[in-house]
């Protein structure tokens, strides 16, 4: 049996949290088949379901995907 040495490109979704003291934490790294507001909504819901205190989220920086701003503000009303 041989080893498959091929390389495949995979899209990933990444959410990084930054504490007020500047400490960065990777909250989620997830394979994402497509970038859509719906995909991000589910990702944000997952983060909230894992114990993130949404009231402590002050702001978000996104790359400009249409609709993701509204999805973020619904899940994290800053």
């Amino acid at each position: 049996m041989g080893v498959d040495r091929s390389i495949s490109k995979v899209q990933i979704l990444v959410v990084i949290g930054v504490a007020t003291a500047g400490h960065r934490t990777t909250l989620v790294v997830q394979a994402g088949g497509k970038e859509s507001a719906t995909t991000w909504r589910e990702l944000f819901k997952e983060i909230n379901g894992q114990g993130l205190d949404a009231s402590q989220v002050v702001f978000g920086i996104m790359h400009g995907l249409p609709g993701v701003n509204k999805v973020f503000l619904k899940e994290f009303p800053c």
Side-chain angles (χ1 to χ4, degrees):
M1 181 177 353
V3 175
D4 182 8
R5 295 185 182 266
S6 64
I7 297 173
S8 300
K9 292 182 180 181
V10 178
Q11 294 177 344
I12 59 170
L13 307 174
V14 179
V15 177
I16 299 171
V18 181
T20 54
H23 175 75
R24 294 178 181 94
T25 302
T26 302
L27 300 174
V28 174
V29 175
Q30 174 180 310
K34 63 179 183 176
E35 288 191 17
S36 69
T38 303
T39 301
W40 282 102
R41 178 181 292 114
E42 294 304 315
L43 189 66
F44 293 151
K45 284 183 179 184
E46 180 181 326
I47 294 169
N48 277 332
Q50 292 179 359
L52 178 69
D53 183 356
S55 69
Q56 297 297 309
V57 176
V58 178
F59 68 93
I61 300 172
M62 282 134 295
H63 61 66
L65 178 68
V68 77
N69 311 25
K70 291 178 185 175
V71 169
F72 177 83
L73 290 172
K74 183 168 180 141
E75 296 299 320
F76 305 103
C78 314

